[in-house]
Amino acid sequence: MGERREVFVTVGTTCFDELVAAVDSEPVKAALFCRGFSHLKIQIGRGNYFPSKVSRQPGALEVDYFTFSPTIADHLKSASLVISHAGSESIFDTLRLGKPLVMVLNEDLMDNHQAELAEELASRKHLFIARGPHLLALTIERMDLELLVPYKPGEGEGDQINTSLKLTSPCEGSATKQEKGEGALISKSKAKKGTKKAAQRHQDRAAISLARGSEYDENDPLSSSYGNIPLEDIQSKFITGRTWTDVGELCAEMKGETVLIRGAAQAIRPTSKKIVFLVVRQSMSTVQCILVVTKDVISPQMVRFATSLTKESIVDVEGVISVPDKPITGATQQVEIQVRKLYCISRAAPNLPINIEDASRSETEFKKAEESGEQLVRVGQDTRLNNRVLDLRTPANQAIFRVKSVGVNKGRQFLLSKNFVEIFTPKVIAGSSEGGAEVFKLQYKGKPACLAQSPQLHKQMAICGGFDRVFEVGPVFRAENSYTHRHLCEFVGLDVEMEIKEHYYEVCDIVEELFVEIFNHLNDNCSKELEVIKRQYPFQPIKYLPKRLTYDEGVRMLKEAGVEIEPMGDLSTEAEKKLGKLVSDKYNTDFFILTKFPLGIRPFYTMPCHDNSEYSNSFDVFLRGEEIISGAQRIHDPDMLTKRIEQCGIDAKTISTYMDSFGYATRPHGGFGAGLERIVMLFCGLNNIRKCSLFPRDPQRLTP
């Protein structure tokens, strides 16, 4: 960058994490860089603040962090600008050395000593006051470095400092009483009141300027081409008829066209005072926007405004499409926008809990960085879920939930085409719908109740009510104590129930047709989304040629492979995965149905086999070696159902209305239930079901 110009940030011997965090934010660092400073040294004091990673990128402000040390004077001497809060004793050392000083005031720090100190220093022409850390970037942008008059210490230095009671700083731009000839000194009490009023006026003017979008230079003839849009202008005030273009639609064929887009500022990269690159993201797509100072088109103030944007702020960009000679690696769209207008619609906080670029990295990127000695920030699962609103903004997450949406809607279309009726059943019920202890219990107007483990009872009652075929997509609640990659306490269930004419294989036929239809549709219509997911979470496409085996055949395959299975017992997770591998190798499919499970491991409403009452007319469906669906023919005979309920130890009184339904005669029927999150997880080859739940609920997570 040429001459080394350092900025030194000191908190003295006290802790002021808010100030350090503000200085360490992108807007302040960008503002310093644009004002010609090359290095930033931040004393992080003894607080709890944990700094961002050290910047060593070419064309950016270099940042170093250190804790308090007795050699602080050496840092002051080498600094071209000092930033401090009002309580730091380094202020006096800074003045003695003739260093420009930005002093940050804060309501929490305005005790008598610090207020008086602010008054006494207010006349220094090389002093700039920011009324709070949130206005620090604005103060740095506004300060007039050309008018700096270095302070020269001399006789009676302490008296000079203690009696300098003029009330405004140069960045506020108003004359003092002494400059107007109205007297040399005023009382400290009046000075204190005057300082607060002046600071408040400065804050009010800054707020008005921010609202107008001209916080850098109100006299800029191009000020109408950039800035922050006032809230009132976004309260459905206008219908302009403007045409908006989705970022994902931008292409080389649009070269030379003027477009208007809206998105999030994913990255802001100033390369000089006259050029800044802005990457704007809309859902899964990003485009690189360029601002270059050009007469009558882009002003320096507009470039500074772009540089001051915080990451993830929502912006409107209007500009002309251009096509670069070289491929663009930092954005999905292979075009650039030469910006003509730039407006901020909603400004994000300067310090975000997670960086979207960090949260979007793949394992491949981490491995390459490790091999080259570069250290990247890895965002853990808990951090992601604690800040899910930000985590959802990553392209992969955007794609995952689009795949989920397309899949469930295709399933709905298929079932409707097969004469199924979509129903909506209650989620607060009197008794357990599945049996067992995995139920959330609650009080319903003084009566015991629970959350439905499935719509099982009510979809059967719908068949009893005369519907031939029904289905539902809705929430399912399980009081799971399973801390696994595939279990949730709440998930979205796809439940189907239908009349059986002769054999429960009729239900299996619907399962195979339904999911082959869904998988085909996803592969044909979500190729972009699947590629986006693969970039962060690489996976192999599933093979889904349907295959059916009986439970005994599956157990036999496992035993031949050396896997021990408990007689007439359910398959463990490890056994399921092993069987999935065996079926894939033998039949070249990841999608198969296992039928005729032992009756003892199935719910109370499952119909026993006609030829062996130890087995049942039931089935499970597997994808990539994990269960995704459970189904069966149901017991429709009231006497048999009563006997099964007694055998399973269920209180018949809690489901009496369900029991009564079968006394009115009903048709043989069967159905199945599927968890959508698990299906999406396995279809996309993901390693954790929480990635497929918008705001997951597991045994340890109830928020956000």
Side-chain angles (χ1 to χ4, degrees), residues 30 32 37 116 146 277 291 300 376 416 442 446 481 495 504 513 580 597 609 623 628:
L32 290 169
F37 296 100
E116 291 174 7
E146 299 298 326
F277 290 85
L291 290 88
L376 297 177
L416 291 172
L442 52 88
N481 285 320
D495 279 86
Y504 77 96
E513 290 180 48
F597 277 78
C609 280
L623 187 64
I628 59 169

Side-chain angles (χ1 to χ4, degrees), residues 610-621:
H610 70 282
D611 57 350
N612 188 340
S613 60
E614 291 188 353
Y615 288 88
S616 63
N617 294 345
S618 63
F619 62 91
D620 281 353
V621 182

Side-chain angles (χ1 to χ4, degrees), residues 176-192:
T176 65
K177 284 189 175 183
Q178 190 174 23
E179 289 169 335
K180 291 180 179 181
E182 298 179 16
L185 298 175
I186 60 176
S187 69
K188 286 188 177 183
S189 61
K190 289 183 178 179
K192 181 176 180 179

